[in-house]
Amino acid sequence: MCGLAGVLSPSGSPSLSENVLEAMARAIEHRGPDDHGLWLDRGAGVGLAHRRLSILDLSPHGHQPMLSESGRYVIAYNGEIYNFEDIRQRLDADAGGGESPRWRGGSDTEVMLAAIERWGVEAAVRQFIGMFAFALWDSRERLLFLARDRLGIKPLYYGWQGRSFFFGSELKAIKAHPDFRGEVDRGALGLLLRHNYIPAPHSIYRGIHKVLPGHILTLKAGNREPISQAYWSALEVAERGSREPFSGSEEEATDQLEALLRDAIKLRMIADVPLGAFLSGGIDSSTVVALMQAQSDRPVKTFSIGFHEKGYNEAEDAKKIAQHLGTDHTELYVTPEEAMAVIPRLPDLYDEPFSDSSQIPTFLVSQLAKKKVTVSLSGDGGDEFFCGYPRYNLGESVWNKMRRLPMPLRQLAAGMVTTLPPKAWDALFTPVGWVVPSKKIRVNPGDKLHSLARILRLDGPEALYRCLVSHWKDPAAMVGAAEPPTFLSNGKTLSGLPGFLEKVMYLDSVSYLPDDILTKVDRASMGVSLEARVPLIDHRVVEFAWRLPMHMKIRDNQNKWLLRKVLYRHVPRELIDRPKMGFGVPVGAWLRGPLRDWAEALLDEKRLAREGYFAPAPIRAKWRDQLAGKNDWHPYLWDVLMFQAWLEKERS
């Protein structure tokens, strides 16, 4: 696992020098503390920088940036190609009448370069099984390639500032360039308020973008506009799986899934450094650990963190599973003070505002694991491809009820509700609140009725799902700028997918998974120089999962049914079958208690007005409700707080 950075500038530009590249690499030293390297061609106007966390081939033969055997290509690369040994053997066996590569070492980077020389960039990338982001310079054609793995596990940013084109694994590498002038993109800020993350290709800075998962970006020296081309399409995979479903028995499906998972996990257990796994006690991480232990001749090192607050502690469940599997288990119970001590580090860890509060425990478990291992496997990705989130069932239920009503009738009902503002509905409900059966309805009934009206006006499952997963429902009014398009808002009807569940799982796989879940894991783990590997989203597993009919994903009100079937072969059912628990911390209670002064300072009305990024009134209203215990608005407030904390660091 590593970090990369680089610049493409006009020949002879003062913005390109060894000192500049060194500064960019130093900014991401945490991603690669073991080694660093620079490569510079002033005549071509291109330079690459690299930081290395040594995992495979710890010798100098793995040093980057690395030149291909012919000297045509040079690469700076972040990630792991797990099937590099297989590719190496194929290159040796099929030299096409020419000479086999003259190998200098045993790194996957050297194999990547040899594959690219033999097959070309796109054809080679299609052969890679792994997580990766790389910058590749073709000196013959004067082309810069930026590529990212299929699911978006590894990050890669890029953009123009003046006459220079920058790129890097994290924004802090780009910000280290002396020509960088960061201007907040208000549209991207709106996306943060809606999603709690900023979806690709956008970033918090105007003109700086993220390479899309499964894409190769190509820029010709002297041109301004890079060309982005998909080499793997999540939508095509989902549609093909729906057209050509798995036709075998449930037992055959279980066997095939377990075989795929075993191989995906086996490949990710290859390392020349100590290796372990995160274990939360949930289905996904338990499956990963069970199949690791089944293929290991020694106890797997596993790591869990626990909280003393009721409803936030999975450590006891994880410990039982670790004991059953016989792992070498380490757990740490974290105090609120220890968890809250992470908060000041978040703006630096994530580079841009990011407000999924599970970022806190993810960092803590990474920090715990790093004390004993350099690589840790994670169970992320099971929910998106095996239908694991409870919101999927909720959304489908809402949609099935809505679709029975004609749109004109829904529009009429919504119009009637919105003739009165929320506060007027609150006043009407107050005298009769005691007869309303649900306490949830009695709290802020006006807001809930207006939310219902908003849902009634939606014209498809895609729009409904976007509404259900949104925090602030009208971010444009909050930040004074329209949101740029995303996968969830582009208006595309997913007609090639048969039902509500298939549509929303696809949308999560191209938005929430890479831009929230995988971003969170990458920054938290790399923040402590730990490599996190995610076998459940090996693209072969993903492609098979899309072929599974829905009745193999949901059965008897149980989500992830086939994944459970695999796990039941290794762990007793009674240790697994329990309600799903999120990996979170009690932010809502903290905001009313020990975080109150910190939050009050960041949400001060005069400060919000002076800085000019938000409309203060709705924020202050939710903050008053939060303090009074009238409603738990902490997801909304955390979005604003993470931007405010980030902005404070930007200006320090």
Side-chain angles (χ1 to χ4, degrees):
M1 193 58 56
C2 308
L4 66 94
V7 183
L8 181 63
S9 296
S11 178
S13 169
S15 66
L16 181 60
S17 69
E18 289 184 356
N19 288 339
V20 166
L21 290 171
E22 182 66 41
M24 296 175 77
R26 195 181 308 117
I28 52 173
E29 182 177 359
H30 55 282
R31 296 189 73 93
D34 299 329
D35 188 20
H36 70 280
L38 306 175
W39 177 86
L40 178 61
D41 184 341
R42 287 189 176 85
V46 62
L48 301 177
H50 189 262
R51 295 291 320 193
R52 185 184 182 197
L53 177 63
S54 300
I55 303 294
L56 292 168
D57 189 359
L58 309 186
S59 75
H61 292 300
H63 180 79
Q64 295 185 50
M66 184 182 291
L67 267 72
S68 66
E69 186 178 0
S70 70
R72 174 179 173 179
Y73 298 103
V74 60
I75 193 171
Y77 151 61
N78 165 30
E80 303 286 352
I81 304 302
Y82 302 118
N83 64 330
F84 77 98
E85 289 283 10
D86 175 63
I87 294 173
R88 180 173 176 144
Q89 291 172 13
R90 288 164 55 195
L91 290 168
D92 283 336
D94 181 22
E99 292 185 3
S100 296
R102 292 189 294 272
W103 304 109
R104 292 161 285 177
S107 73
D108 56 346
T109 313
E110 188 178 3
V111 174
M112 290 174 70
L113 283 167
I116 288 168
E117 287 215 298
R118 178 75 58 83
W119 300 321
V121 177
E122 183 173 341
V125 169
R126 289 177 184 272
Q127 303 302 313
F128 298 159
I129 298 173
M131 55 179 185
F132 53 86
F134 65 78
L136 178 82
W137 173 250
D138 180 346
S139 61
R140 190 177 75 187
E141 300 296 331
R142 295 175 59 82
L143 288 173
L144 175 69
F145 297 92
L146 302 179
R148 196 171 174 204
D149 61 66
R150 295 167 179 85
L151 278 303
I153 304 169
K154 292 291 101 187
L156 190 53
Y157 293 85
Y158 70 94
W160 286 97
Q161 296 275 280
R163 300 179 66 200
S164 295
F165 182 81
F166 307 137
F167 48 93
S169 295
E170 295 184 18
L171 284 170
K172 56 175 63 72
I174 294 174
K175 289 166 61 178
H177 194 285
D179 289 349
F180 180 79
R181 301 291 181 269
E183 177 187 352
V184 171
D185 185 334
R186 287 180 177 270
L189 179 55
L191 292 175
L192 172 74
L193 294 187
R194 183 177 295 280
H195 300 291
N196 78 240
Y197 57 85
I198 299 173
H202 312 289
S203 87
I204 191 61
Y205 296 116
R206 189 180 301 278
I208 303 297
H209 309 286
K210 299 161 186 160
V211 177
L212 289 170
H215 280 65
I216 300 172
L217 197 84
T218 308
L219 181 63
K220 178 79 171 177
N223 291 354
R224 288 286 299 187
E225 292 299 323
I227 298 170
S228 181
Q229 183 70 38
Y231 65 88
W232 187 86
S233 167
L235 182 57
E236 288 178 6
V237 167
E239 289 176 339
R240 185 169 62 249
S242 299
R243 287 193 312 268
E244 304 168 5
F246 181 81
S247 58
S249 69
E250 291 168 357
E251 200 61 29
E252 289 170 332
T254 308
D255 289 343
Q256 194 162 336
L257 177 58
E258 178 164 2
L260 280 168
L261 289 173
R262 277 179 175 268
D263 188 61
I265 289 166
K266 180 180 179 181
L267 287 174
R268 285 159 181 81
M269 291 173 69
I270 299 171
D272 296 329
V273 293
L275 175 140
F278 302 141
L279 179 60
S280 70
I283 294 166
D284 301 339
S285 66
S286 299
T287 301
V288 170
V289 170
L291 296 180
M292 287 178 73
Q293 193 59 71
Q295 301 179 87
S296 177
D297 58 2
R298 66 187 68 183
V300 171
K301 296 180 185 298
T302 53
F303 305 92
S304 301
I305 60 167
F307 295 93
H308 297 287
E309 290 88 347
K310 186 178 180 181
Y312 291 90
N313 184 35
E314 289 185 298
E316 292 179 2
D317 299 318
K319 185 176 182 179
K320 292 175 184 176
I321 290 169
Q323 289 173 339
H324 175 79
L325 293 172
T327 71
D328 177 5
H329 191 58
T330 301
E331 66 177 13
L332 173 69
Y333 274 78
V334 179
T335 66
E337 292 74 22
E338 288 171 321
M340 287 184 286
V342 177
I343 293 172
R345 299 189 60 178
L346 296 177
D348 188 56
L349 280 171
Y350 287 87
D351 270 350
E352 62 181 350
F354 179 84
S355 50
D356 179 343
S357 60
S358 63
Q359 61 201 143
I360 297 171
T362 304
F363 176 81
L364 290 168
V365 75
S366 298
Q367 192 175 54
L368 176 65
K370 179 59 181 177
K371 294 176 181 179
K372 294 189 176 181
V373 300
T374 307
V375 175
S376 185
L377 273 63
S378 169
D380 294 290
D383 288 307
E384 288 79 6
F385 298 106
F386 294 93
C387 205
Y389 291 121
R391 66 174 180 262
Y392 292 160
N393 309 65
L394 171 65
E396 184 182 41
S397 175
V398 171
W399 175 245
N400 287 338
K401 292 173 182 175
M402 278 178 54
R403 64 192 304 184
R404 298 191 191 112
L405 296 175
M407 178 57 82
L409 186 59
R410 288 168 22 207
Q411 293 277 19
L412 177 63
M416 293 173 62
V417 168
T418 53
T419 54
L420 291 178
K423 289 188 180 300
W425 281 112
D426 290 346
L428 288 173
F429 265 75
T430 299
V432 298
W434 63 275
V435 302
V436 178
S438 172
K439 183 179 178 181
K440 289 184 178 180
I441 297 175
R442 294 199 299 269
V443 177
N444 295 324
D447 285 330
K448 291 178 173 62
L449 284 171
H450 273 246
S451 295
L452 174 62
R454 186 181 296 110
I455 288 172
L456 287 173
R457 289 189 169 113
L458 300 174
D459 60 358
E462 299 87 353
L464 170 63
Y465 193 61
R466 179 172 181 254
C467 182
L468 290 175
V469 299
S470 295
H471 289 193
W472 296 86
K473 299 300 190 286
D474 188 12
M478 289 287 297
V479 302
E483 298 171 66
T486 68
F487 284 110
L488 271 68
S489 69
N490 61 16
K492 181 182 290 186
T493 300
L494 301 172
S495 56
L497 298 177
F500 180 90
L501 293 174
E502 289 85 356
K503 289 177 170 64
V504 299
M505 287 167 59
Y506 162 73
L507 290 172
D508 265 355
S509 75
V510 294
S511 56
Y512 181 68
L513 177 64
D515 295 317
D516 185 312
I517 299 298
L518 298 177
T519 296
K520 175 182 65 181
V521 173
D522 175 81
R523 303 308 191 278
S525 59
M526 293 310 299
V528 295
S529 303
L530 175 77
E531 175 173 300
R533 298 177 176 178
V534 279
L536 294 186
I537 56 173
D538 183 302
H539 74 276
R540 300 167 301 165
V541 175
V542 169
E543 289 169 359
F544 178 72
W546 272 115
R547 294 181 57 215
L548 295 173
M550 197 55 64
H551 68 82
M552 290 189 184
K553 296 179 180 178
I554 300 179
R555 178 76 57 86
D556 300 327
N557 293 319
Q558 281 193 325
N559 294 57
K560 296 195 276 197
W561 184 79
L562 198 68
L563 205 55
R564 290 174 187 266
K565 289 266 288 182
V566 172
L567 183 55
Y568 293 157
R569 293 176 172 183
H570 303 270
V571 176
R573 185 184 294 253
E574 58 267 23
L575 294 183
I576 298 299
D577 289 348
R578 60 182 184 277
K580 183 178 177 65
M581 184 185 297
F583 192 45
V585 287
V587 170
W590 290 354
L591 289 175
R592 288 190 292 270
L595 289 180
R596 179 171 179 166
D597 291 344
W598 169 77
E600 181 63 64
L602 292 174
L603 301 180
D604 177 77
E605 186 167 8
K606 292 181 180 178
R607 177 176 182 166
L608 292 171
R610 182 177 66 253
E611 291 170 344
Y613 287 104
F614 298 114
I619 296 172
R620 294 299 302 180
K622 283 183 167 51
W623 179 232
R624 287 192 294 270
D625 280 359
Q626 184 75 26
L627 294 178
K630 291 178 62 177
N631 209 338
D632 186 6
W633 295 113
H634 83 263
Y636 296 72
L637 294 168
W638 198 249
D639 296 335
V640 178
L641 286 165
M642 285 296 95
F643 176 80
Q644 290 292 96
W646 173 86
L647 185 64
E648 187 171 67
K649 181 182 180 299
E650 283 283 286
R651 295 178 171 178
S652 63

